[in-house]
Amino acid sequence: MWEWLLPALMILCGSTSCGGAQTPNIVVIMADDLGYNDVGYHGSVIKTPNIDRLAEEGVRLENYYVQPICTPSRSQFMSGRYQIHTGLQHGVILPTQPFALPLDSPTLADKLKEAGYSTYGVGKWHLGFYMKKYLPTRRGFDRFFGFYMGSQDHYTHSRCIYNRCAVDLHDDTPTTFRNVFNESGSYSTHMYTQKAVDLINTQTKKKPFFMYLAYQAVHAPLQVPPRYKRHYQDISNPKRRKFAAMTTAMDEGVGHVVEALKRRGFWKNTVLVFTTDNGGIPSEGGSNYPLRGKKSLLFEGGIKGVAFVASPLLKEKGYINKGLMHISDWFPTLIHLAKGNMYNTHDLAGIDQWNMISKRIPTRREHILHNIDPLDVASAKSLGQYGKTFDIRITAAIRVGNYKLLTGAIHGKKKREKIYKPSDLVQLYNIRRDPREKRDLSKYQPARVRDMLAMLQAYNSTAVPAMDPLREIVRPRNSAWGPWR
């Protein structure tokens, strides 16, 4: 009869549970465009000693999935919802497009703040900024220092649009929005690391904190201080050489953040999550070897993420976890750690996986909807034997157990003039046995294909329309980019 009191009690309990147990600090570090083969512990030539050590001491997540591009991954992390339920299933939010992560459900920062946490965002946002109500400090963050768009110059922190160049760097609170011009010349990885360290140094142990450190690294443009390049003189590809140096610079930053946590005595009560947002781009120096595909594609190279959890609070650590997990799972998992609640959330795709991670129990996840993009449709004269189940012209993918089904023009760039055969629009792979996706099983297992297409159709029936508004003419104000409506 007292169920209605639960949300209020959870808020009143603040930084401790009603039983007195202290809630942990939560630090999430998100790399940008880091490929599967871009960390040392996956056998890469790139030197990432701090990341490797944390992964070895913690729990490596080796059956972990993200989205193939930036905005969808960040939206699912921040909302716990599939992008078919937020309208973000087609592409990224471009700087001059008037749309954003919807306001109809709380963000992770909202829920952790509600649970009594101080909340900080540092680095990349990329979830919409055309109106102030979509900015990070209106979405649950007490403080945000970073940029709103998807990319920029790593030193000038500027972005050029329609032949107009302006700064996209901000230091915001819920009531003040300040453009930052005095950091020109500061390398982004160093700048964001220092800001994270500064925020850690201001904390007290009276209140837990959540820090979302979304590095700009290792996203293009490929820029890095010369001193990091000396490690990679033997890499002949100049882009790979710069990319490797950028990754090592980011790894150094991760080390400094952990040092700050330990120096202030926070580490013993901190859970640190490291994740990439999508796969790497080989043409920009990244590598997803031995996986097939790259950023923007639904093959494993675009969506199998680098991730681990490091914390003294883990019940079991120092092992590789192969339980199926998705980036949306962080939403309920971290709220659980914070002793928060799911009040006012809906359409959640995420599953609380803390026991899987910390106690090594089996995953609670049986499938992942990778995406259904109704705006990316191939041309075909017929849909063949699957015509009544799901429109296989649509670019989509779903994972069920060990199997992954892909539909549409799934090889990458769609040839608009090409008329596809039905057999070209469906592929099925056993990911456990065939992680490189070399053997298409669709013609051998039509019943399984139909079952998985039926699941896609069931999800599609719940989808909201995909947002892809026309770009607008946007001009900087006072030499800076920001909300224009």
XYZ file of all heavy atoms in Angstrom, residues 28 30 71-81 86 88 101-102 105-112 120-122 124-125 127 136 139-141 144 210-214 327-332 334-335 345 348:
416
model
N 32.245 7.418 -16.120
C 32.130 6.783 -17.425
C 33.025 7.524 -18.401
O 32.875 8.739 -18.586
C 30.676 6.783 -17.936
C 30.608 6.189 -19.342
C 29.767 6.006 -16.986
N 34.074 7.673 -22.284
C 33.666 7.218 -23.617
C 34.662 7.733 -24.653
O 34.859 8.939 -24.781
C 32.257 7.697 -23.958
C 31.739 7.156 -25.290
S 30.007 7.584 -25.625
C 29.135 6.537 -24.442
N 25.677 9.556 -32.549
C 24.462 9.983 -31.860
C 23.622 8.816 -31.340
O 23.207 8.828 -30.171
C 23.613 10.891 -32.769
O 24.329 12.096 -33.051
C 22.297 11.253 -32.101
N 23.342 7.782 -32.152
C 22.540 6.673 -31.616
C 23.164 6.008 -30.390
O 22.460 5.679 -29.426
C 22.439 5.715 -32.807
C 22.537 6.596 -34.000
C 23.548 7.640 -33.613
N 24.485 5.796 -30.407
C 25.129 5.188 -29.235
C 24.968 6.057 -28.008
O 24.607 5.595 -26.921
C 26.621 4.957 -29.509
O 26.832 3.728 -30.163
N 25.247 7.341 -28.155
C 25.164 8.250 -27.004
C 23.730 8.400 -26.516
O 23.484 8.531 -25.311
C 25.782 9.600 -27.386
C 27.279 9.481 -27.647
C 27.868 10.675 -28.413
N 29.161 10.277 -28.944
C 30.310 10.372 -28.286
N 30.321 10.903 -27.067
N 31.435 9.969 -28.824
N 22.779 8.363 -27.453
C 21.380 8.462 -27.042
C 20.947 7.240 -26.252
O 20.196 7.344 -25.275
C 20.485 8.643 -28.269
O 20.359 7.443 -29.012
N 21.407 6.056 -26.668
C 21.017 4.844 -25.956
C 21.705 4.743 -24.603
O 21.115 4.258 -23.634
C 21.309 3.625 -26.824
C 20.458 3.608 -28.074
C 20.434 2.275 -28.784
O 20.885 1.252 -28.273
N 19.875 2.273 -29.977
N 22.949 5.197 -24.529
C 23.628 5.251 -23.236
C 22.895 6.199 -22.288
O 22.667 5.885 -21.112
C 25.077 5.725 -23.423
C 25.755 6.089 -22.141
C 26.239 5.102 -21.291
C 25.901 7.418 -21.761
C 26.856 5.440 -20.096
C 26.511 7.767 -20.569
C 26.992 6.770 -19.730
N 22.516 7.366 -22.790
C 21.952 8.394 -21.929
C 20.483 8.166 -21.599
O 19.987 8.666 -20.587
C 22.140 9.767 -22.601
C 22.049 10.951 -21.667
S 23.242 10.952 -20.297
C 24.785 11.189 -21.172
N 19.771 7.384 -22.426
C 18.332 7.192 -22.191
C 17.941 5.764 -21.850
O 16.851 5.532 -21.322
C 17.546 7.624 -23.440
O 17.718 6.687 -24.496
N 18.791 4.784 -22.205
C 18.429 3.384 -21.996
C 17.404 2.871 -22.977
O 16.852 1.783 -22.808
N 17.148 3.634 -24.062
C 16.083 3.306 -25.013
C 16.675 3.024 -26.393
O 17.658 3.652 -26.803
C 15.091 4.458 -25.113
C 14.491 4.861 -23.785
C 13.794 6.207 -23.867
N 12.552 6.138 -24.622
C 11.888 7.216 -25.044
N 12.362 8.430 -24.788
N 10.767 7.082 -25.714
N 13.104 6.803 -30.022
C 13.459 8.213 -29.814
C 13.559 8.986 -31.124
O 13.821 10.187 -31.112
C 14.806 8.340 -29.063
O 15.841 7.701 -29.831
C 14.727 7.707 -27.685
N 15.845 8.552 -33.420
C 17.244 8.772 -33.782
C 17.829 7.583 -34.540
O 19.018 7.309 -34.455
C 18.064 9.048 -32.520
C 17.665 10.312 -31.750
C 18.390 10.381 -30.416
C 17.944 11.555 -32.574
N 17.734 14.530 -28.770
C 17.193 13.464 -27.930
C 15.925 13.993 -27.274
O 15.956 15.016 -26.586
C 18.215 13.063 -26.865
C 17.776 11.984 -25.870
C 17.586 10.645 -26.562
C 18.792 11.849 -24.736
N 14.779 13.332 -27.471
C 13.507 13.864 -26.962
C 13.505 14.060 -25.449
O 14.256 13.425 -24.708
C 12.496 12.803 -27.389
C 13.129 12.084 -28.519
C 14.598 12.081 -28.223
N 11.520 11.434 -21.719
C 12.009 10.459 -20.750
C 13.287 11.012 -20.120
O 14.060 11.712 -20.790
C 12.291 9.127 -21.456
O 12.607 8.118 -20.515
N 13.548 10.740 -18.848
C 14.738 11.291 -18.192
C 16.024 10.691 -18.733
O 16.056 9.561 -19.229
C 14.529 10.928 -16.718
C 13.623 9.735 -16.748
C 12.720 9.936 -17.917
N 17.095 11.460 -18.626
C 18.422 10.962 -18.987
C 19.057 10.270 -17.784
O 18.568 10.370 -16.651
C 19.341 12.101 -19.428
O 19.603 12.950 -18.296
C 18.728 12.913 -20.556
N 20.164 9.604 -18.038
C 20.924 8.987 -16.951
C 21.352 10.045 -15.939
O 21.284 9.820 -14.723
C 22.148 8.270 -17.529
C 23.112 7.622 -16.529
C 22.411 6.555 -15.702
C 24.310 7.011 -17.261
N 21.769 11.199 -16.429
C 22.165 12.277 -15.516
C 20.980 12.745 -14.672
O 21.132 13.034 -13.478
C 22.761 13.443 -16.306
N 19.792 12.838 -15.290
C 18.584 13.197 -14.533
C 18.362 12.234 -13.367
O 18.111 12.645 -12.223
C 17.350 13.137 -15.432
C 17.219 14.316 -16.373
O 17.560 15.431 -15.975
O 16.756 14.098 -17.514
N 18.455 10.937 -13.657
C 18.145 9.931 -12.643
C 19.212 9.878 -11.550
O 18.887 9.658 -10.367
C 17.994 8.559 -13.290
C 16.866 8.458 -14.316
C 15.518 8.861 -13.737
C 15.006 7.886 -12.697
N 13.663 8.261 -12.189
N 20.476 10.082 -11.913
C 21.519 10.060 -10.888
C 21.465 11.324 -10.027
O 21.704 11.270 -8.816
C 22.890 9.902 -11.550
C 23.108 8.557 -12.263
C 24.503 8.488 -12.864
C 22.897 7.384 -11.302
N 28.413 15.641 -13.675
C 29.309 16.438 -14.511
C 29.463 15.803 -15.884
O 29.691 14.588 -16.001
C 30.694 16.541 -13.863
C 30.655 17.081 -12.461
C 30.898 16.241 -11.369
C 30.352 18.415 -12.201
C 30.854 16.716 -10.068
C 30.300 18.906 -10.906
C 30.549 18.045 -9.838
O 30.497 18.527 -8.557
N 29.384 16.621 -16.909
C 29.664 16.190 -18.266
C 30.878 16.932 -18.787
O 30.964 18.155 -18.670
N 31.809 16.201 -19.355
C 33.026 16.791 -19.904
C 33.251 16.206 -21.294
O 33.281 14.982 -21.460
C 34.258 16.502 -19.016
C 35.524 17.091 -19.637
C 34.055 17.057 -17.603
N 32.264 15.637 -25.316
C 31.324 15.650 -26.443
C 29.890 15.372 -26.002
O 29.640 14.460 -25.238
C 31.778 14.611 -27.472
C 30.883 14.471 -28.697
C 31.526 13.556 -29.714
C 30.616 13.247 -30.885
N 31.299 12.452 -31.932
N 28.951 16.139 -26.550
C 27.534 15.959 -26.279
C 26.864 15.234 -27.455
O 26.525 14.076 -27.356
C 26.866 17.306 -26.018
C 25.394 17.271 -25.755
C 24.409 17.930 -26.436
C 24.711 16.559 -24.713
N 23.174 17.686 -25.905
C 23.333 16.838 -24.832
C 25.128 15.702 -23.690
C 22.372 16.289 -23.979
C 24.171 15.152 -22.837
C 22.811 15.451 -22.983
N 23.930 15.330 -28.792
C 22.549 14.870 -28.643
C 21.554 16.001 -28.901
O 20.402 15.915 -28.480
C 22.337 14.267 -27.245
C 23.042 12.932 -27.010
C 22.867 12.465 -25.572
C 22.554 11.863 -27.979
N 23.109 19.918 -22.222
C 23.409 18.965 -21.138
C 22.956 19.428 -19.757
O 22.452 18.614 -18.975
C 24.933 18.827 -21.209
C 25.283 19.166 -22.614
C 24.295 20.187 -23.057
N 19.551 18.731 -19.081
C 19.229 17.303 -19.156
C 19.844 16.538 -17.994
O 20.132 15.358 -18.101
C 19.698 16.693 -20.481
C 19.279 17.391 -21.755
C 17.776 17.493 -21.939
N 17.054 16.251 -21.879
C 16.786 15.470 -22.926
N 17.220 15.800 -24.127
N 16.083 14.374 -22.781
N 20.069 17.221 -16.861
C 20.487 16.525 -15.652
C 21.893 16.808 -15.168
O 22.249 16.406 -14.052
N 22.714 17.499 -15.962
C 24.092 17.767 -15.534
C 24.185 19.082 -14.765
O 23.664 20.108 -15.200
C 25.031 17.808 -16.740
C 25.304 16.452 -17.339
C 24.610 16.011 -18.450
C 26.251 15.617 -16.764
C 24.855 14.753 -18.997
C 26.503 14.356 -17.291
C 25.802 13.927 -18.415
N 28.641 21.338 -17.299
C 29.102 20.754 -18.560
C 30.198 21.626 -19.126
O 30.030 22.838 -19.302
C 27.961 20.636 -19.570
C 28.420 20.155 -20.930
C 28.682 18.810 -21.142
C 28.605 21.047 -21.980
C 29.128 18.359 -22.390
C 29.042 20.608 -23.220
C 29.302 19.264 -23.432
N 28.766 11.663 -10.309
C 28.763 10.982 -11.596
C 29.512 11.862 -12.580
O 29.187 13.033 -12.742
C 27.332 10.762 -12.077
C 27.200 10.417 -13.542
C 27.887 9.340 -14.095
C 26.369 11.173 -14.376
C 27.759 9.022 -15.445
C 26.230 10.855 -15.723
C 26.936 9.786 -16.254
N 30.529 11.296 -13.216
C 31.271 12.029 -14.235
C 31.202 11.275 -15.554
O 31.561 10.099 -15.637
C 32.731 12.236 -13.838
C 33.544 12.961 -14.911
S 35.221 13.323 -14.391
C 34.888 14.572 -13.145
N 30.750 11.977 -16.580
C 30.697 11.456 -17.944
C 31.782 12.181 -18.731
O 31.614 13.338 -19.101
C 29.312 11.707 -18.518
C 29.132 11.380 -19.983
C 29.541 10.165 -20.517
C 28.501 12.297 -20.829
C 29.339 9.875 -21.856
C 28.284 12.008 -22.172
C 28.713 10.793 -22.690
O 28.508 10.520 -24.018
N 32.897 11.498 -18.943
C 34.037 12.073 -19.661
C 34.031 11.515 -21.075
O 34.478 10.392 -21.318
C 35.343 11.745 -18.932
C 36.656 12.105 -19.628
C 36.700 13.574 -20.027
C 37.841 11.760 -18.728
N 33.485 12.288 -21.997
C 33.336 11.846 -23.388
C 34.434 12.507 -24.214
O 34.272 13.623 -24.723
C 31.959 12.217 -23.917
N 24.918 -1.253 -25.056
C 25.214 0.053 -24.468
C 24.014 0.616 -23.705
O 24.189 1.360 -22.737
C 25.699 1.041 -25.557
C 26.276 2.304 -24.913
C 24.606 1.333 -26.587
C 27.031 3.183 -25.880
N 22.798 0.256 -24.094
C 21.616 0.739 -23.368
C 21.544 0.167 -21.958
O 20.845 0.714 -21.090
C 20.335 0.376 -24.133
O 20.178 -1.028 -24.229
N 22.265 -0.920 -21.699
C 22.222 -1.558 -20.378
C 22.869 -0.705 -19.290
O 22.603 -0.920 -18.099
C 22.902 -2.929 -20.420
C 22.169 -3.931 -21.293
O 20.975 -3.708 -21.581
O 22.791 -4.931 -21.695
N 23.730 0.247 -19.686
C 24.360 1.075 -18.653
C 23.327 1.898 -17.897
O 23.510 2.198 -16.709
C 25.410 1.999 -19.273
C 26.592 1.280 -19.846
C 27.033 1.294 -21.135
C 27.496 0.408 -19.138
N 28.143 0.495 -21.279
C 28.437 -0.061 -20.069
C 27.592 -0.026 -17.814
C 29.477 -0.940 -19.731
C 28.613 -0.898 -17.469
C 29.542 -1.342 -18.419
N 22.254 2.286 -18.564
C 21.239 3.130 -17.928
C 20.664 2.468 -16.669
O 20.815 3.012 -15.555
C 20.154 3.470 -18.960
C 19.106 4.435 -18.479
C 19.297 5.793 -18.580
C 17.915 3.965 -17.946
C 18.315 6.692 -18.153
C 16.929 4.834 -17.516
C 17.137 6.211 -17.618
N 20.035 1.307 -16.744
C 19.520 0.691 -15.507
C 20.629 0.174 -14.596
O 20.459 0.140 -13.374
C 18.641 -0.442 -16.017
C 19.179 -0.770 -17.361
C 19.669 0.517 -17.938
N 23.664 1.446 -13.960
C 24.252 2.508 -13.140
C 23.222 3.125 -12.196
O 23.571 3.532 -11.079
C 24.874 3.576 -14.043
C 26.028 3.065 -14.930
C 26.584 4.193 -15.784
C 27.134 2.424 -14.092
N 21.978 3.175 -12.616
C 20.931 3.652 -11.703
C 20.774 2.680 -10.534
O 20.575 3.099 -9.384
C 19.607 3.858 -12.466
C 19.752 5.028 -13.444
C 18.455 4.116 -11.497
C 18.578 5.189 -14.386
N 10.346 6.583 -16.382
C 10.991 6.105 -17.606
C 10.006 5.229 -18.376
O 9.043 4.699 -17.806
C 12.255 5.295 -17.296
O 11.906 4.132 -16.534
C 13.261 6.117 -16.506
N 12.053 1.234 -22.039
C 13.458 0.919 -21.773
C 13.882 -0.355 -22.496
O 13.213 -1.383 -22.433
C 13.700 0.755 -20.275
C 13.714 2.028 -19.426
C 14.076 1.685 -17.980
C 14.683 3.054 -19.974
